[in-house]
Amino acid sequence: MRNSRYDIRSVINGTHQKNFLEDDNKDRFLLNQAYVDFNDREKHYQVKAGRQSGTISGTLGRFDGVMAGYDLKPKFRVNGAVGFPVDL
């Protein structure tokens, strides 16, 4: 959903691994990303919650949690992240 003030996105990204061996038929589904991203252009803040990849924001690897940011000036932004690491 997008309008002049808000930008709200939901992202789901995963992979399914099919095992064709006769003695071991364990298929796996890996959930890589599943988050909701809320961006307020008027008040200059962003909140992203769910399973996400934090390599862009400085957090290494995937994590389940919340990442938030606030634009103090046009070229200065403060970000924070809270969550738990995900072991795939």
Side-chain angles (χ1 to χ4, degrees):
M1 185 177 87
R2 190 180 278 192
N3 61 25
S4 62
R5 179 175 176 181
Y6 298 113
D7 184 11
I8 303 170
R9 299 184 308 151
S10 60
V11 175
I12 298 175
N13 181 0
T15 58
H16 180 261
Q17 294 179 345
K18 177 74 175 164
N19 191 345
F20 291 104
L21 297 175
E22 291 180 15
D23 57 340
D24 183 18
N25 60 358
K26 294 180 182 178
D27 297 342
R28 289 187 354 168
F29 177 75
L30 299 174
L31 185 62
N32 296 326
Q33 295 178 339
Y35 62 85
V36 175
D37 188 3
F38 180 81
N39 189 0
D40 187 339
R41 292 186 193 101
E42 193 173 289
K43 296 198 177 191
H44 307 289
Y45 71 90
Q46 177 184 16
V47 177
K48 191 188 298 186
R51 177 164 293 179
Q52 49 197 302
S53 174
T55 54
I56 295 172
S57 66
T59 306
L60 298 176
R62 287 182 192 87
F63 69 98
D64 290 340
V66 177
M67 187 174 359
Y70 182 72
D71 295 333
L72 296 175
K73 293 184 178 183
K75 292 187 178 183
F76 189 71
R77 180 176 178 89
V78 175
N79 289 321
V82 175
F84 299 97
V86 174
D87 183 21
L88 295 178

